[in-house]
Amino acid sequence: MEKYLLPDIRDLHRIDVYEAHGGYKAFRKALQMKTEDVTEEVKKSGLKGRGGACFPTGLKWTFMPKQSDKPKYLCVNGDESEPGTFKDRQIFEFNPHLMIEGTLIAAYAMGGSISYIYVRGEYGKWIKMIEKALHDAYAKGYIGQNILGSGFSTEIIVHRGAGAYICGEESALMNSIEGDRGYPRVKPPFPAQNGLWGRATTINNVETISNVPLIIDRGWEWYSKIGAPKYPGPILVGVSGHVNKPGVYELPTGVPLLEIIHKYAGGVPGNKAIKAVFPGGSSTMVLRGDQLEGVCMDAESLKAAGSSVGTAGLIVMDEDTDLIKVIARIAKFYYHESCGQCTPCREGTGWLWKILNRFENGEGRWEDIDLLLDVANNVEGNTICALGDAAAWPVQSMVRRFRDEFERRAKIPRPKVLEAVAV
Amino acid sequence: MLSERNLKKLDEMKKYYQTSQSLVLPALWMVQEEHGHISEDAMKYVAKLLGVPFGHILGVVTFYTMLHRKPIGRHHVEVCTNVSCMLRGADKIVEHLEKRLGIKMGETSRDRKWTLSEVECMGSCGTAPMFAVGEEYYENLTPEKIDKLIADLERK
Ligand SMILES: Cc1cc2nc3c(=O)[nH]c(=O)nc-3n(C[C@H](O)[C@H](O)[C@H](O)COP(=O)(O)O)c2cc1C
Ligand code: SF4
Ligand code: FES
């Protein structure tokens, strides 16, 4: 299919090249539209957030107050730290103006006075690329005061994170911008009522925002016909792990996972069988290799299969993979990244890691298998932010779908009867 | 403690933020870029510069893993060992690095040339295994590639 987010155009990161290929046309068009109509267009397109939570983008925009005597803000979420996710980086590097144009359209639609592009601290090199692109867009008059003579004014600035997965959570992200530790806030109130500095704020993922110019340029009807009807549009699928050609592939939503793995990512090395996949980053429920038939990279299809689309970071594991080692490493990640505000998450993630570590070292006990589920169930849904769920889901699904692996690795306790005989 | 250029930049950034506290992270980044780490004196300096309590600055510095309170080696090698990298042999990369640099994970070499750290997913899962040195990413690593990289960096 034709590529829209990452088309094969040389030097597209340069503003002159971007303009020569129709860049900033959508923004010019939006400036001629009524702000509500821009939001309506996005709403009708069916675009859903690509940051992990899959929330309808246009609907989110309507939560912003129409009239306000205080400034309103937009945050573009480029924290990109979910293991298995490496797609936003491609936009920063190869098509930063698309993200900037989308940000401008969103700011116009919602009356945003300043937009913050929050980028993870490790991406220092890419931050410089974004800053260069912003500089050029300012110089051309696309950002700043009275943009293109329209009377609309808005600013964009990059805010650099400093190494904390939790700052990708929207309220932690706002606290980080406010110069605080990245602690998630209790919701409600939601950001659209009470966001940055207590003012109305909307947070969108980098890829989500980069879809907006396409919708405005070609119309919602065109957009809504791409890919899966209830989760339409182009999507950046990051394939990693045991495949011959790992990388980011731009596809329409709804492509079968097996087709992604075999046709696009070149299949599994040595033609080995697929043991398991995480379809959308390490926090999505793991799927067994033998249950992938007919499952597609689409929110509905993955939900039906017992997982979710997450960030579309597809992690493939072949038949020889030590899944206990994999899940123990993932548990360690969430334990390390828990901000520690809520007891179930702080303690639970530590417990999960410790128990899984026991299994990894051959010290796991039979009863630990159910203990894992018990701990995970007590974390899930009992925390301030969704990191708790993100830590629980992979463990729950791994135990449920690969219980045999745990049983095989458990150090089986000596049967009671024999103990009696020994006495 | 901060250069004129950075002080000017901070001043220009003020118009984007509602409170001076929001400049804490940008200011700490500038300190680290200029001095390599963020000492207690530097934290006091930033506290005074922005009118924010010292305790707040300390809280922020300790929260973010990329901010260092102690000097580290000239080349900071950060190896990702998270799932996608693990599946593509991060263990072997770690082993090779430890052997080549003569230090263990989390250590700094005696000559302060090298610091080796284990890090979480760096957004390079499609080009795993990988490590970063400073802002540079080195991807699709093999032991041979690492040997060459170390030799190149030794000379710097
Ligand atoms: C622990 C945690 C980490 C998250 N990290 C990110 C991230 O790195 N990037 C991102 O866009 N969204 C992340 N999210 C989701 C955001 O909270 C938010 O839903 C998203 O940015 C909204 O954008 P969207 O509607 O365009 O998807 C994270 C959520 C949680 C709970
Ligand atoms: S769920 Fe975990 S990461 Fe989220 S606020 Fe609670 S302790 Fe922090
Ligand atoms: S898992 Fe290593 S870079 Fe993502």
Side-chain angles (χ1 to χ4, degrees), chain A residues 71 73 81-86 89 114 116 118 120-126 128 138 155-164 166-167 176-183 197 199 239-243 246-247 282 315-317 321 325-326 329-330 332-333 336-337 339, chain B residues 9 12-26 29 33 52 55-67 78-89 91 118-128 130 132 134-137 139-140:
Chain A
Y73 304 111
S81 314
E82 164 94 351
T85 312
F86 48 105
R89 183 183 139 184
I114 306 178
Y116 303 87
Y118 189 99
R120 65 179 298 177
E122 291 85 349
Y123 281 180
K125 212 169 99 180
W126 290 274
K128 293 200 177 79
Y138 264 104
E155 308 281 345
I156 306 181
I157 187 171
V158 177
H159 196 94
R160 182 179 188 178
I166 194 58
C167 289
S176 182
I177 293 178
E178 289 183 15
D180 215 330
R181 284 184 271 192
Y183 283 157
W197 303 291
R199 291 163 183 183
V239 193
S240 66
H242 296 143
V243 289
S282 67
I315 308 171
V316 181
M317 291 158 274
T321 309
K325 195 174 159 195
V326 165
R329 182 64 186 85
I330 290 174
K332 182 181 172 191
F333 169 74
H336 181 245
E337 299 299 331
C339 83
Chain B
K9 210 163 135 194
E12 282 163 12
M13 286 174 84
K14 275 192 184 139
K15 72 167 181 181
Y16 294 100
Y17 298 95
Q18 282 302 311
T19 60
S20 62
Q21 183 188 293
S22 293
L23 294 172
V24 165
L25 212 44
W29 266 123
E33 267 158 29
V52 174
H56 182 92
I57 305 286
L58 182 66
V60 170
V61 173
T62 51
F63 185 84
Y64 295 97
T65 55
M66 291 184 77
L67 303 179
E78 299 180 282
V79 199
C80 171
T81 58
N82 213 306
V83 55
S84 303
C85 286
M86 177 207 254
L87 293 171
R88 296 185 82 87
D91 286 3
E118 176 180 38
V119 291
E120 299 296 357
C121 177
M122 297 281 273
S124 279
C125 329
T127 37
M130 67 83 66
E135 283 184 4
E136 207 53 53
Y137 276 33
E139 307 174 276
N140 293 313

Side-chain angles (χ1 to χ4, degrees), chain A residues 166 183-184 337-343 345-346 383-388:
Chain A
I166 194 58
Y183 283 157
E337 299 299 331
S338 165
C339 83
Q341 273 191 109
C342 356
T343 314
C345 172
R346 183 184 60 238
T383 56
I384 294 177
C385 88
L387 186 137

Side-chain angles (χ1 to χ4, degrees), chain B residues 94-145:
Chain B
V94 170
E95 208 177 287
H96 191 75
L97 278 168
E98 288 186 335
K99 203 169 72 199
R100 275 299 319 257
L101 299 175
I103 49 177
K104 292 267 171 236
M105 217 26 127
E107 292 179 347
T108 297
S109 63
R110 204 178 287 274
D111 59 6
R112 291 212 174 277
K113 237 183 188 169
W114 301 95
T115 296
L116 186 59
S117 312
E118 176 180 38
V119 291
E120 299 296 357
C121 177
M122 297 281 273
S124 279
C125 329
T127 37
M130 67 83 66
F131 60 60
V133 182
E135 283 184 4
E136 207 53 53
Y137 276 33
Y138 299 96
E139 307 174 276
N140 293 313
L141 293 172
T142 58
E144 300 74 53
K145 233 173 159 176

Side-chain angles (χ1 to χ4, degrees), chain A residues 238-257:
Chain A
V239 193
S240 66
H242 296 143
V243 289
N244 283 312
K245 291 193 297 175
V248 172
Y249 296 94
E250 178 176 344
L251 302 168
T253 54
V255 175
L257 299 187

Side-chain angles (χ1 to χ4, degrees), chain A residues 137-177:
Chain A
Y138 264 104
K140 289 255 182 171
Y142 293 123
I143 320 174
Q145 296 302 303
N146 187 21
I147 297 167
L148 307 171
S150 65
F152 172 62
S153 303
T154 202
E155 308 281 345
I156 306 181
I157 187 171
V158 177
H159 196 94
R160 182 179 188 178
Y165 167 67
I166 194 58
C167 289
E169 194 281 337
E170 55 186 27
S171 58
L173 183 146
M174 293 190 293
N175 276 342
S176 182
I177 293 178

